[in-house]
Amino acid sequence: MCQPAWGRALTTARRLSDLARLRRVRDRIDREYARPLDVEALAHEANMPAGRLGREFRLAYGKAPYAYLTARRVEHATALLRRRDLTVTEAEAALTVGFPSPGIFRTRVTELTGTAPAATHRRRRKTSPSGPTTYSTPRALLSHGRPPASHHPDHRPAERNPS
């Protein structure tokens, strides 16, 4: 003699349990994005088949688990490249956040942000508030080993003598 309300309550309880498992998967991705993670391992931990995890995760968070992981990695790598107090190269940022190679990193960043990581890195250098480390042409710094005199904050153009 099962009451109809009991069936609805059981369905609701299962749905809440599934949402809790999806939340644990998302939290693990947020916490361990720099490690190698695969959907099979995440699904095994959530006690779901991989296909079901992908469908349920997409319904709950709008992205498949691997796409969510990639977005987290790109977000953290872009933050590293924008930090002014660190001198992080593109390859170092890629490896730090868990991308297997700088080439894959460049491709994913460009796909997700519309801007290449090198452009993000250059933009950070141009917008730096401190004078001596701001160069409009990084190539000039690389070729001379020091900034050109015209980029120094105390530089004044020589006055021309009309005589």
Side-chain angles (χ1 to χ4, degrees), residues 24-93:
R24 282 193 296 270
V25 167
R26 190 192 72 177
D27 289 347
R28 182 171 176 206
I29 291 172
D30 286 342
R31 203 177 42 248
E32 301 176 11
Y33 63 88
R35 292 181 173 181
L37 294 174
D38 64 348
V39 177
E40 292 289 334
L42 294 171
H44 181 73
E45 186 176 298
N47 199 19
M48 289 182 178
R52 182 173 168 220
L53 173 68
R55 284 189 304 274
E56 296 287 329
F57 197 91
R58 186 177 300 122
L59 284 173
Y61 299 111
K63 292 181 180 180
Y66 190 73
Y68 185 83
L69 172 64
T70 302
R72 284 285 161 252
R73 287 177 173 170
V74 166
E75 180 182 308
H76 287 280
T78 304
L80 278 176
L81 290 173
R82 287 186 179 155
R83 285 186 58 178
R84 294 184 179 133
D85 58 334
L86 296 176
T87 54
V88 177
T89 65
E90 192 177 303
E92 290 169 342

Side-chain angles (χ1 to χ4, degrees), residues 71-126:
R72 284 285 161 252
R73 287 177 173 170
V74 166
E75 180 182 308
H76 287 280
T78 304
L80 278 176
L81 290 173
R82 287 186 179 155
R83 285 186 58 178
R84 294 184 179 133
D85 58 334
L86 296 176
T87 54
V88 177
T89 65
E90 192 177 303
E92 290 169 342
L95 295 176
T96 300
V97 298
F99 280 102
S101 74
I104 293 172
F105 169 67
R106 266 183 242 117
T107 303
R108 297 294 177 249
V109 168
T110 305
E111 284 175 359
L112 291 177
T113 65
T115 306
T120 302
H121 201 71
R122 277 195 307 265
R123 189 175 310 132
R124 177 197 68 159
R125 296 179 83 188
K126 281 184 179 178

